[in-house]
Amino acid sequence: MRKQGDKATREQGNEATSPPLTHYLSTRYLLAALLILGAIYYLDRIAQWFAYDDEGGYLYAAWRIGAGELPYRDFLTPKLPAFLYPGALILKLTDNSVFAIRVFSTLFTLGAVALLYLTLRRLWGDRVALLAMIPALLQRDFFWAARFFRPEAPMLFWDALGLYLFVVAHHGTTAEGATARDRPYMAVSGVAFALATLSNLFGLLPLVGCLLFLAVQAWRERAWDQGVRSGLWMGVPYALVGGLTVGLFILLAPNFLSAVLGHHLRQGRELTPWQVALKGLRLYWDVCRVQPVLMLLALIGGIRSLRSRHRLASIFVWQLPTALSFLFISRGLQARHLVYLVPSLSALAAIGLAPLWESRRLSWGALAWRGGLILLLLAAALYPSWRDNRRVAGLWERDTQRLADYIRAHTDPDDYVLSDYPGLNFFARRMTTPLAAGISRGAAKSGQITGSDLIREIEAYDVRMVILNVAQGAHQLVNLRDYPAFKRYLQTHFHLAGRAIRDYRLLEIYHRRDLWPGEIVGVNFGDQLRLSGFQWTDAEAPPGKELRVKMRWQSTQDMGADYLVTLILRDEEGHQWGLGSKRLTDVDAQTYWDEEGLERAVLIPTSKWPVAETTVGAFELPVDLATPPGEYTVLVRVHPPAVWEGLPVRSSGGAASGFDYPLGKVWVLPASEPPSIETLQIAQPRRADFGREIRLLGWDVSTTDVRPGDEVHLSLYWRAQRSLPTDYIARLWLIDEQGHFGGEVRAEPAGQHTTSQWRAGEILRGQYDLTVDAAAPAGNYSLMLNLFDKSGDPLRASDVKLGAITVSGRQRLFEPPAEIQHEVKAELGGLVRFLGYDLPRTEVSPGEVLSLTLYWQALQRMDTSYTVFTHLLDENYRIWGQRDNIPVQGTYPTTGWLEGEVIVDEYQIPVREDASPGCYRIEIGLYDAATGIRLPVVDPADRALLGDHLLLEEEITVREVR
C-alpha cells in the first residue's frame, strides 16, 4: 500500500512537466543554495541594532534562567520553556552573546524552511517545494523571527517538524488508515507540536489544522474510527509532553499557569465580543492589504489543493481556518501572531504558480517567458516584505551600549534597576523586579500590572534606578492605569538624572541619588518653579552662534500661566549681549504623528503641569553679532509671554532678589570672520575715521528724549583698520548751544576687549550708559564723541557729532507735604532721608493689594540708581508680599534727584493668595540692583545704625478668607 501511494504521489508531482527542472540542475544543490542565501540574507548586519524591546525582555529572562533563577515564580516572562531554556543554554555557553543567540534563531528558522521543502517535496514534487522556499525565506515576519531572539523561531521549527512527520505518517495511506509503522511518526509529530506550543501558545494552531484535516477526511470517507485513532496517536503524546511540563512547573512555581495564560486572557477584557471580533477582522485585513499578490496566489493554490485527487494535497488549506481563533482572542493582535501560517501560505502560493510550468513539451522560449512571469509574480508578492526587511536590516544604534554602560557606572552589581525595557537590564547585567521583568503594553493596559504594584516592588527591592520611556516610543509604563500616581512617586522619591535617547525613544533616568551631571542648585522662582540643576553643553561660542545649557525644572505648585525661560548674556557693566527665550514645556505619554510619519511628543505648557512635575530642557542663547570676546555672565529669568517682569527669585526665607538668577560664566570667542555691515542693522550709520587705526561705522541710541537723571543707552560700531598697539578710551558727552554740560561717560570702546587686542579687520560693538546730569537745563543737546589715549590726547583732532538729544525738565518738590500720615526720621547711607509714609488701610485679604506711599528727601546728588524694596513680613520675617522698583514706578531714578528734593513714591503691594490670617509688618529700604547691597539705615538723632532696612511700626492684619 505504501508503494502504491508513493507512486501515485510521484505521478501527481511530476505530471505535465517535461523536461523536469531537476534534469538540468541538481535539486539538492538548489536546496543548499537557497538555504545558504537565506542564511546570508538573515545574518546581514544582524548585530547592529539592539533596541528591540520584545527581544530584550526574552534576553533578560533567558539570562536570569542561565544564572539559575527559576522562571515564572517572579513573572519573568509569559513565554514558554521550550523557547527560553535553549536560549538560556546558548547565552550560558557563549558568555551572553547576543550574536550567538540570534544565530540560534536563524538556524531554527532555516530549519523550518528546510522542513517545509521536505513536506512539499513529498506532496507536490521538487519544483513546488523549491519555489515555496522563496516566499517563506523572504516573508517579513519570518525575517524578524530569524534575526531576533523571539519564540516564533523555535515555534516555526517544531510546527514544521510536526507537520512533516504528520505528512510522512499519512502519505500514501487509504481509508483503512495508517499502518503500524506509521504510528510512531504520528506520535513524534504530537511531541513536536507540544514543543511548538511550549515555545509559543500559538504553536498549538498547526496541530488544530491537522486535526481539522483528519476530521474532514473522516467525514468524506466515513472513517470516523480511523480519524479518532489518528488524532489520538498525535494527541496523547502532545498531552503527555505538555501536561508533564506544565505539571512540573506548577510544582516548582504555583502561579505558572496564571503567569502564562493571564498574559493573554486578562488583556482586552473590557472589550465586547463584537469589538474582539472586529479586532480580529482588522488583523486579517491588515495582513491581506500589505501582501495582496501573495494572498491571491495562495488562494489559487488553495483551490488547486482542494480539487486535487491526493488526500494530503489540502493539508495546508486546513491550516487557514485556525486563524478564526483570533476572532475570539481579546488581547492585542499584530501581524506576527499569524506567522505560523506563513509556511502554509508560501506552500499554497507555490502550488498556485505551478501550472505556469506544467507541460510535457516545454520549449526554451516558453520556459523563458513562463519563468519570467513566475519571477514577476514572486517579485510583486514579496516586494512589500523585501522593502520592510531592507529597512529592518538597516536599523543601527549604539545607544543601548552607552546606556548600559551608564547603568553599570551608577549602580552596584547587586542593585535592582526598573525599566520600561528589561533588555536594558540584560545588557547592563542588572536585575529588575518580578513584575517589571514581564512588563508589556498589554499587561499595563489590562491592569495585570499596576503602578501601585510596581511601587511596592520598588520599596521592597530597594530599587536604585528607574528608567522611564516618555514621549516617542512610550507604550509600556505610560499605559499603567495609575500612571500619573506612579510618575509622581518617581519624581518625589527619586532624582531625575537626565534624559537619554535609545534608538528613537526618549528615556528619563531616575536615581535614588542625585546624579545630575552639572551643577545642582535649588533656585525658587516665585514658589511655583524650582530650578534644581543646570549643565552647560556649549559654554563657549563666537558671535552669531549659540551658547547651550540643559536645565532641570520641577513644579512646586499648580500654575495658572504658561511660562517662558529667557537667558540673558551680560557683561560686568550689566550690558546685554544676547537674549534667548523658549517656552518651558514638558513631554509625557501623549504623542502625535507629523506629516513625515514621525512620532512627535506633545509639548505640555507649565499651566498643565501637575505638582512635582520634573523635566529637563535644552535652552539656547544666541550671541549678538559684533560682541567683543571675553567672559560674560548668563542670567535666567522665568516670565509669562509678553510680560518681562518674571517670577521673583526667592531665598529660603522667602525674600526676593529680583527676577534673574546667575547661571555662571561663559566665554565669547573671537569671530572667525567679521560680520557684514548689512547684518548688523545699524540704526544710525555714521562713518568717521579716527586716525588710520579705527573707523566708526555707526551708532544706536535707546532714546533721544530724556529727563535729568535718566540713563541713555548707546551702542557704537567700530572697525579696526589695523592692529593697534595702544589702548584708547571713548568719551561721549552732551553739550547744548550755550555750552551747558549735560553729562558724560568714559569707557573702553569695546568693553573688556581693549583696543590693543583688536585685530585688523575686526568689527566690534561697544555699549555705553550716559547718565543725564541731574541739574541739566531743559533743551537740545549735541551728542559728541572722541577717542583719547592714556595721556588724555584725542585721537581725532575734531570731535564727532553723532546726533541730537532733547532733555525735558522735571517738576521738582523741595518742601515736604504739610501732612504725612506717619512721620519717621531716618537716613539711608548718608544719601537719602526718609520722611515718613501713608498707609490708607491696615486690613487686607489674601490676594488683595496693599497701598503704601513713601516720602524721601535727597541729602546730596547720587551717581548710583538705587532700587526701593517694600516687603510684607510675617512674625518669622518671611515675605508674603513684595514690590521692588526704581522710585515713582521706575520713572524717577535717584541719579536725577537734586539735593534737598522731596520725592513722593507710591506702591501697590500684592498680598500672596496663600497668606495665613494674622499680623504682618512692612519693611522698606534702598539697594543697588547691580550688587544687591542695601544702604545702611541710621537714626539722625544719635547716628545709631538701625540695620539695612526700616521696619514700619503700623501692623497689617491679613483677614481670614471665608
Side-chain angles (χ1 to χ4, degrees), residues 509-529:
I509 304 172
Y510 293 88
H511 200 280
R512 293 282 189 181
R513 293 184 291 111
D514 196 343
L515 301 179
W516 180 254
E519 186 169 348
I520 298 173
V521 294
V523 187
N524 178 356
F525 283 87
D527 296 322
Q528 297 188 53
L529 282 165

Side-chain angles (χ1 to χ4, degrees), residues 561-598:
D562 296 335
Y563 290 111
L564 299 175
V565 172
T566 295
L567 299 177
I568 309 160
L569 184 67
R570 285 188 182 168
D571 60 17
E572 293 181 352
E573 287 74 35
H575 299 138
Q576 178 179 303
W577 295 93
L579 195 71
S581 291
K582 187 176 182 179
R583 191 168 63 146
L584 181 56
T585 59
D586 193 15
V587 295
D588 201 4
Q590 191 175 359
T591 60
Y592 66 95
W593 297 91
D594 66 10
E595 297 82 0
E596 298 178 356
L598 299 176

Side-chain angles (χ1 to χ4, degrees), residues 407-473:
I407 296 171
R408 282 196 295 268
H410 295 95
T411 57
D412 294 330
D414 294 334
D415 285 343
Y416 279 78
V417 175
L418 189 147
S419 169
D420 255 287
Y421 305 108
L424 286 174
N425 295 78
F426 165 77
F427 288 104
R429 306 297 188 265
R430 294 294 185 267
M431 291 182 292
T432 190
T433 65
L435 288 178
I439 191 67
S440 68
R441 179 181 183 180
K445 292 188 71 174
S446 67
Q448 188 177 3
I449 299 176
T450 65
S452 58
D453 294 334
L454 292 174
I455 290 172
R456 282 192 290 271
E457 287 194 337
I458 289 172
E459 295 296 329
Y461 289 87
D462 190 24
V463 171
R464 306 307 297 166
M465 180 183 287
V466 177
I467 301 176
L468 177 67
N469 186 186
V470 296
Q472 299 94 276

